[in-house]
Amino acid sequence: SAEDIIQLACSIIMLPHLIKAEEGMTYKLSWIDDELKSLKDTGFYNSIRTLDSPQGAWLVVDGKKVLNFCSNNYLGLANHPRLVQAATEAMQKYGVGPGAVRSIAGTMSLHLQLEKRMAAFKKVEAAITFQSGFSANGATIPALVGKEDVIFSDALNHASIIDGSRLSGAKIIRFAHADPVDFEKQIQAAAGTYRRALMITDGVFSMDGDLAPLDKLVEIAERYDMMTMVDDAHGEGVVGEGGRGIVDHFHLHGRVDVEVGTFSKAFGVVGGVVAGNARIIEWLRQRGRPFLFSSAVTVPDTAACLAAVDLLEESTELVDRLWANARYFQAEMRRLGFDTGATQTPITPVMLGEVQLAREFSRRLFDEGLFAMALGFPTVPQGMARIRVMLSAAHSQSDLDQALGIFHKVGKDLGVLRG
Ligand SMILES: *Cc1c(COP(=O)(O)O)cnc(C)c1O
């Protein structure tokens, strides 16, 4: 194998670490080789495909033109001419990089404009932006709770919520997924054991496309005088009026303390945002560590995000098209005989069961010119492997029909569909 040849070549030129290895000592990084091999042997190794085109309904992936049903580019903004133009013009005026962390000399008027515009868009008191949704969680959670406190966290919350929660040092108490009754049970069981409490849930859960029962969770949290936070990464630009998010969807304005969002999904760019109570936003400018110790997103990112807010505020056309596409595609998939799970959003799981089948299905789709990811254990529970289809406003009617044709063919070929 190639590895053997390299090993041989190395031993001929007698690299010191390989001599040591021959003497029976292990090279200090060989544990990584072992770990990587074990990932490959057990099928958990991440093989990453390379794109050679902008994001859109079609992609060039590993040199092949394919229909794209993988991206979080819900509104087709990642390559929208208005965003590209705004980014280009801003670079002419402000250059590229922010030059320093926000609190030293890296806050540009564009960053502040974006924060103002996001607060208005979300109909909240204030907003603060971060480098990513991931770092927004890492900033917010440790700023709100510490060692003497508890976090009540939905069992399926995103990795960045889990990491932010661990970083805070607070006790993490998980409640059953999307289960207000269990949430309240957990609160009662923990009564008297903490100083402050924070309830955190994803708004839209990205594996199944289901919504958090935010109205019920907030109602319970209010009864126990607890802080509330929702991470609406997959809801921003998707749910609520004109894509204003899950708080808007449930008409909970003013009742959720913190809304975390991302500019990397429906907004088509990159960056994170925290919107909500003005006190909390002010506190994050003082205590959010990724805000204080890491530079902000660049000029073109910020300008492109502003153009995305403009588009969303001007018209609901893109959000409406996204939902029309999702409803059409999901209804047709069910009519073909596929199980699309419990989705309430444009995230469309196609339930297949075993991970081997899901992987084979994804490979066959790719051969037929459709790019959609297979998800299996441990990302989703054992026996609930699936293809996840991400709909977008960028898809045309003919894209959707072509995709349905490919799903039908592969479904029949692999015996998932009868007849
Ligand atoms: C994608 C996602 C994030 C991370 O957002 P980035 O801006 O890409 O870092 C955080 N939380 C949830 C729930 C997400 O789905």
Side-chain angles (χ1 to χ4, degrees):
S1 74
E3 259 169 52
D4 293 335
I5 293 166
I6 291 166
Q7 183 109 6
L8 184 65
C10 288
S11 56
I12 289 167
I13 55 170
M14 304 223 285
L15 288 179
H17 68 265
L18 284 171
I19 296 174
K20 272 194 210 157
E22 272 165 22
E23 286 164 0
M25 292 167 69
T26 49
Y27 171 51
K28 68 180 177 188
L29 297 182
S30 59
W31 65 272
I32 296 179
D33 301 338
D34 299 343
E35 293 286 345
L36 289 172
K37 182 173 184 308
S38 135
L39 286 180
K40 285 174 186 162
D41 291 348
T42 50
F44 292 128
Y45 186 82
N46 236 339
S47 298
I48 300 171
R49 293 190 188 272
T50 309
L51 314 187
D52 252 317
S53 63
Q55 281 291 343
W58 291 80
L59 296 175
V60 178
V61 179
D62 296 335
K64 182 179 159 99
K65 193 167 177 230
V66 290
L67 262 171
N68 174 22
F69 284 91
C70 277
S71 305
N72 303 317
N73 181 25
Y74 289 112
L75 302 176
L77 296 183
N79 188 34
H80 194 285
R82 288 266 300 270
L83 274 71
V84 174
Q85 191 192 345
T88 309
E89 285 174 8
M91 279 194 287
Q92 299 302 332
K93 188 166 176 202
Y94 294 97
V96 182
V101 298
R102 294 281 304 269
S103 54
I104 294 179
T107 294
M108 292 179 156
S109 51
L110 282 176
H111 294 122
L112 296 179
Q113 267 178 52
L114 180 59
E115 289 168 347
K116 239 196 195 136
R117 293 291 304 282
M118 282 307 289
F121 177 68
K122 306 279 292 178
K123 302 179 182 170
V124 295
E125 292 176 359
I128 180 173
T129 55
F130 290 91
Q131 302 82 357
S132 67
F134 200 103
S135 76
N137 279 322
T140 307
I141 304 169
L144 294 178
V145 286
K147 277 196 193 69
E148 299 151 88
D149 306 322
V150 297
I151 294 166
F152 293 97
S153 181
D154 185 287
L156 296 187
N157 274 346
H158 189 260
S160 58
I161 297 178
I162 296 169
D163 286 10
S165 299
R166 287 181 183 154
L167 210 51
S168 75
K171 182 171 183 203
I172 301 164
I173 300 175
R174 302 196 329 165
F175 58 87
H177 172 58
D179 186 344
V181 174
D182 191 52
F183 172 42
E184 187 156 20
K185 227 189 263 170
Q186 300 297 335
I187 299 173
Q188 287 166 353
T193 65
Y194 57 83
R195 180 183 59 172
R196 292 198 289 271
L198 172 65
M199 184 284 293
I200 313 180
T201 182
D202 274 27
V204 174
F205 290 85
S206 61
M207 296 301 136
D208 291 290
D210 56 327
L211 296 179
L214 195 63
D215 49 346
K216 299 194 180 70
L217 296 174
V218 165
E219 190 268 313
I220 294 166
E222 282 173 342
R223 269 196 275 119
Y224 292 87
D225 199 27
M226 179 182 304
M227 296 180 288
T228 50
M229 167 169 161
V230 61
D231 176 349
D232 205 21
H234 281 277
E236 205 105 64
V238 175
V239 301
E241 192 235 324
R244 281 171 176 73
I246 192 163
V247 170
D248 188 87
H249 171 85
F250 283 111
H251 306 291
L252 294 169
H253 301 283
R255 292 174 62 193
V256 176
D257 298 307
V258 186
E259 283 178 70
V260 169
T262 179
F263 295 116
S264 70
K265 291 177 176 142
F267 280 70
V269 194
V270 73
V273 59
V274 177
N277 183 291
R279 256 189 225 98
I280 292 181
I281 304 309
E282 189 188 350
W283 181 235
L284 290 175
R285 286 184 204 280
Q286 302 301 319
R287 282 289 178 273
R289 288 172 68 83
F291 182 84
L292 297 170
F293 298 109
S294 176
S295 296
V297 293
T298 68
V299 166
D301 295 325
T302 315
C305 289
L306 275 162
V309 184
D310 285 342
L311 280 170
L312 284 169
E313 283 192 333
E314 274 165 30
S315 150
T316 62
E317 187 198 331
L318 291 173
V319 179
D320 295 343
R321 197 184 311 155
L322 166 68
W323 280 93
N325 282 353
R327 288 197 184 101
Y328 173 75
F329 185 84
Q330 289 171 0
E332 289 300 303
M333 286 291 280
R334 286 182 200 119
R335 206 174 55 81
L336 289 175
F338 286 106
D339 172 4
T340 56
T343 183
Q344 297 169 275
T345 63
I347 296 171
T348 310
V350 180
M351 308 305 286
L352 293 170
E354 291 315 312
V355 66
Q356 293 79 2
L357 175 60
R359 291 224 180 96
E360 175 62 13
F361 206 104
S362 174
R363 266 194 298 275
R364 293 292 308 275
L365 290 172
F366 194 81
D367 291 345
E368 298 287 335
L370 191 156
F371 187 23
M373 289 290 284
L375 302 174
F377 182 80
T379 309
V380 296
Q382 210 123 33
M384 292 181 75
R386 66 199 66 181
I387 300 288
R388 187 177 61 167
V389 183
M390 303 298 279
L391 276 304
S392 169
H395 293 125
S396 68
Q397 185 64 40
S398 99
D399 295 336
L400 299 177
D401 288 331
Q402 210 171 319
L404 288 162
I406 294 172
F407 264 98
H408 191 202
K409 176 172 191 304
V410 174
K412 280 203 302 194
D413 288 354
L414 294 182
V416 175
L417 299 179
R418 271 171 287 134

